[in-house]
Amino acid sequence: MKNTTFSIKIFFCFCVVILFSVLVPCGYFLHSIKEESIDLTREEAFREVSFVQTCILDEVKKAGGSPKSILPEMLKTFYSGGEHRVTLIDAEGVVLYDSFAKNVAELENHRYHEEVALAFARGEGSSVRLSASLDTPFVYAARRVSIPGTAINVIRVAAPLSLVENHASDRSRALMAGAVAALVFAVGFAAFMSMRFRRSLQLMITSVENLATPGSRSGRISLRALPGDEFAPLAAAVNSMAQRMEVQVNHILAQKAQLDAVLNSIAEGVLVVDHEGCVRSVNATLVRLFPRAAHAEGLQPVEVIPSPELQKGIESLKHEVPEKPVQFEMDNMSGRKLQVLICPIVGESKLLMAVAVFHDITEMSVLMDMRRDFVANVSHELRTPLTAIMGYAESLKRYVTEQRALHFLEVIDRNSQYMATMVKDLLQLSSIENGSIPMDTKPISASTIIHGGMDLCRTSAEAKKLEFQEELKEGDFSVNADAEYLTRVVRNLLENACRYAPEGSRIIVSAEPDRESGMAVFRVADSGPGIPPELRVRVFERFYRVEKHRGGQVSTGLGLAICKHVVERHGGCIGVEDGPGCIMRFTIPLA
């Protein structure tokens, strides 16, 4: 019955109630009919007793007080072959005559038979029992009499119980026929009502299912189709909901059309997935980049776009929503280079959906490669003339004595030195970006990296009377890094701090392991003017300088860019933290 429809359940309930309502009264009436038949048979037996008594008295009068010889013949005339049994009993319980017995002498004393005993005690008695002599059930009726000239003291008449059963059977058949007819009618009526109720419910179900069909009138329920007024409020509520749903659906469809128009008009590919990671929608640009995305709805992203990084990035959002969008680069089947940005959409602290945006950076990548090659080539070509300029300037200083000429030579030498440093940094940055120089990563202690950077910047610190302070909060530990390049990162950050720190101040270099993330955190903090929050991202761009905000010496603007690329090559990240002065922070994997 678990999956049975509601109308069938109602029909079965009706049937159970009807059966209970019919069978219980029938059982009661059948029992009553049998009892009533026994009572009628008993009354008939007593009337028979009265008839026998009257007949005996009449025969006694006719016989002149000597009826013994004619009584048996008279009784045999009335009861020979009949269904009723007549027994005459004297005061001692001895049977004087029995219409069913051939030899009354063989019959037992009837003094203590139930009906006879009641007759002796109360005047008359009756019982329903099995006859010991005939082995047949009878309804007995006995009455005490006084007939002059005879020894008869009790007249007993017995009617076979079969007469009672035949009478009860006739009436029971009539009752059962009426009950079956009533049951059939009631079940048919219950089936009719349950089917009508089912049609009404089906009408409501169909109407509710069609609520989301724009402009459909099938979501309206006619009150005339309802089985009763009790359903009118429900029908009115469904009709009202249908009207509101139609407005809502039309509004949603309009918004979806606008969103599709916007998505299809942008140059970037857009992929929208739900909280389970299944594709919900794509725009035309993504279909051009990945033709299989035209039929992607309901599929996993990896089934449409063969990119493990994309699938991994989307799967990671199910477990933890990152603070920043997931970003990586990939190539499509036609060789286009794409930059992918996965942005989670969160509601009530849980992921609702995610949007992946695909930027075609093929041309930009080509330009970046051309720029790197150009910078590397130009920087390499500048090294020879710069070396000649610096050499000749240094030589001329030994032969020129005029102060004005010496000043010009100093300017030439200083600017050539600056250009030489810039060329050196450009070549170094190009090498790191191109990956032409592999990182020789191996375990090295954090204190070694810090001391190496401090030693390289000791001259700059002494010029401004700055003090270096090392802090290893949890003691020394090892990191997995290229010692030369990581020392260069610490040196660049220290040089940057020396450039802007107040004279006579302290620069703190600290390192601590973060076992949970598996990274080591390095910090270089100075008490200088700091970097405004809106510029903290841009300071790691090449040639970007913030001297107008912080003041101090002029730099090439490449030191922090080199730091950024070296740290990222190691799998870490670099940034600026909030705090007094300026705090540069970068991470390196633990060994």
Side-chain angles (χ1 to χ4, degrees):
M1 293 290 289
K2 183 176 180 180
N3 297 323
T4 307
T5 60
F6 185 62
S7 59
I8 297 298
K9 291 180 181 178
I10 291 180
F11 173 71
F12 283 147
C13 291
F14 280 159
C15 290
V16 171
V17 172
I18 291 169
L19 287 174
F20 183 80
S21 301
V22 171
L23 293 180
V24 171
C26 281
Y28 173 76
F29 284 121
L30 288 175
H31 178 74
S32 300
I33 287 172
K34 185 174 182 180
E35 294 295 327
E36 182 182 356
S37 299
I38 292 175
D39 292 339
L40 292 174
T41 303
R42 185 182 293 113
E43 291 176 3
E44 184 179 353
F46 273 116
R47 287 195 297 270
E48 200 70 25
V49 169
S50 300
F51 174 73
V52 171
Q53 183 181 0
T54 302
C55 291
I56 292 174
L57 289 175
D58 290 342
E59 290 297 325
V60 168
K61 291 179 182 180
K62 291 178 182 180
S66 200
K68 291 184 179 180
S69 60
I70 63 173
L71 281 177
E73 295 299 329
M74 182 269 295
L75 293 174
K76 286 181 181 180
T77 301
F78 283 107
Y79 296 102
S80 178
E83 295 179 337
H84 289 79
R85 179 182 182 184
V86 178
T87 306
L88 303 179
I89 304 170
D90 65 9
E92 298 300 326
V94 178
V95 177
L96 301 175
Y97 171 79
D98 189 274
S99 60
F100 280 21
K102 295 180 180 180
N103 185 7
V104 296
E106 296 177 355
L107 298 177
E108 64 179 1
N109 191 293
H110 283 34
R111 173 74 182 182
Y112 297 105
H113 288 193
E114 182 181 355
E115 68 282 354
V116 177
L118 289 174
F120 280 122
R122 302 177 184 177
E124 65 179 17
S126 66
S127 67
V128 180
R129 61 182 178 82
L130 184 71
S131 172
S133 59
L134 300 177
D135 197 24
T136 303
F138 283 91
V139 177
Y140 293 96
R143 182 179 294 162
R144 190 175 59 189
V145 298
S146 177
I147 301 176
T150 67
I152 300 172
N153 198 261
V154 174
I155 298 175
R156 187 187 71 175
V157 174
L161 196 60
S162 59
L163 296 176
V164 176
E165 293 175 349
N166 291 337
H167 181 267
S169 178
D170 293 339
R171 300 187 65 181
S172 297
R173 281 195 293 270
L175 177 63
M176 291 302 296
V180 170
L183 183 63
V184 170
F185 174 78
V187 170
F189 182 75
F192 170 76
M193 292 302 296
S194 64
M195 289 299 295
R196 187 181 178 193
F197 181 71
R198 180 179 181 179
R199 285 194 297 270
S200 301
L201 283 181
Q202 188 61 44
L203 174 63
M204 291 187 180
I205 292 172
T206 304
S207 301
V208 173
E209 288 176 348
N210 293 331
L211 284 179
T213 304
S216 174
R217 299 297 300 175
S218 57
R220 309 295 193 271
I221 300 176
S222 175
L223 298 180
R224 291 178 297 179
L226 300 178
D229 294 338
E230 294 83 357
F231 289 89
L234 176 59
V238 172
N239 290 339
S240 176
M241 183 172 60
Q243 185 177 2
R244 293 195 301 269
M245 284 289 293
E246 185 174 351
V247 175
Q248 293 275 349
V249 168
N250 291 333
H251 181 65
I252 292 173
L253 290 176
Q255 287 185 331
K256 184 178 183 301
Q258 293 175 4
L259 179 60
D260 290 341
V262 171
L263 290 178
N264 291 328
S265 65
I266 62 179
E268 289 77 14
V270 177
L271 173 73
V272 181
V273 298
D274 58 17
H275 64 284
E276 295 180 351
C278 296
V279 178
R280 280 291 161 258
S281 64
V282 297
N283 69 341
T285 304
L286 188 70
V287 174
R288 288 195 296 270
L289 293 172
F290 302 96
R292 294 176 60 185
H295 307 286
E297 187 171 354
L299 301 178
Q300 292 291 321
V302 73
E303 298 179 68
V304 181
I305 302 173
S307 171
E309 294 86 354
L310 176 63
Q311 187 68 29
K312 183 179 179 181
I314 293 175
E315 290 291 336
S316 66
L317 300 180
K318 298 180 183 179
H319 309 291
E320 182 181 1
V321 179
E323 297 180 359
K324 297 180 180 180
V326 179
Q327 184 174 346
F328 61 92
E329 293 182 0
M330 61 172 290
D331 296 331
N332 70 344
M333 301 298 293
S334 60
R336 307 293 293 179
K337 193 173 187 62
L338 305 174
Q339 184 184 57
V340 185
L341 193 67
I342 305 176
C343 302
I345 300 177
V346 182
E348 297 182 357
S349 300
K350 64 179 181 180
L351 181 69
L352 297 179
M353 61 179 62
V355 178
V357 182
F358 296 75
H359 300 271
D360 189 345
I361 58 171
T362 306
E363 288 76 11
M364 184 183 298
S365 179
V366 172
L367 292 175
M368 291 292 292
D369 292 341
M370 292 176 61
R371 186 206 66 180
R372 282 195 295 267
D373 294 341
F374 173 76
V375 170
N377 293 334
V378 170
S379 299
H380 186 271
E381 294 298 326
L382 285 175
R383 294 179 67 179
T384 300
L386 281 175
T387 303
I389 292 172
M390 292 168 58
Y392 282 116
E394 187 66 28
S395 299
L396 288 173
K397 288 181 183 180
R398 291 196 294 267
Y399 299 104
V400 176
T401 57
E402 185 182 354
Q403 292 299 320
R404 185 176 180 82
L406 285 174
H407 172 71
F408 290 154
L409 289 174
E410 287 290 341
V411 172
I412 293 173
D413 186 49
R414 184 170 61 252
N415 283 276
S416 60
Q417 290 285 350
Y418 173 76
M419 288 187 67
T421 303
M422 181 181 292
V423 168
K424 180 181 177 183
D425 290 344
L426 282 173
L427 289 173
Q428 188 180 64
L429 182 58
S430 297
S431 300
I432 296 172
E433 283 183 331
N434 294 331
S436 58
I437 302 178
M439 296 289 177
D440 183 19
T441 56
K442 58 184 178 181
I444 186 171
S445 64
S447 60
T448 301
I449 300 297
I450 294 174
H451 293 157
M454 288 181 176
D455 292 341
L456 294 174
C457 298
R458 193 73 64 184
T459 303
S460 300
E462 292 175 353
K464 295 184 64 176
K465 300 180 181 180
L466 300 173
E467 178 185 354
F468 290 151
Q469 178 179 337
E470 175 190 4
E471 289 186 0
L472 296 174
K473 298 180 180 180
E474 298 185 15
D476 200 5
F477 58 92
S478 296
V479 295
N480 196 25
D482 185 305
E484 180 183 354
Y485 278 97
L486 194 58
T487 301
R488 193 173 301 174
V489 169
V490 176
R491 185 197 70 181
N492 287 354
L493 294 179
L494 285 173
E495 286 180 348
N496 188 73
C498 291
R499 188 177 296 116
Y500 301 109
E503 187 174 349
S505 62
R506 178 182 301 173
I507 297 175
I508 302 174
V509 184
S510 65
E512 58 181 329
D514 185 356
R515 306 294 180 186
E516 185 176 350
S517 63
M519 304 293 285
V521 182
F522 289 80
R523 291 181 177 87
V524 176
D526 64 66
S527 54
I531 301 174
E534 64 273 11
L535 301 178
R536 290 178 181 176
V537 177
R538 298 201 61 190
V539 294
F540 297 100
E541 297 176 4
R542 64 181 69 207
F543 300 113
Y544 186 83
R545 295 192 295 265
V546 291
E547 279 80 13
K548 60 181 179 179
H549 300 285
R550 300 184 68 188
Q553 302 174 18
V554 176
S555 67
T556 63
L558 295 173
L560 294 182
I562 293 173
C563 292
K564 177 177 181 294
H565 284 84
V566 170
V567 170
E568 289 179 351
R569 283 284 301 275
H570 280 80
C573 59
I574 190 169
V576 182
E577 284 188 352
D578 292 328
C582 177
I583 304 177
M584 293 289 184
R585 173 187 182 274
F586 67 93
T587 58
I588 296 294
L590 290 170

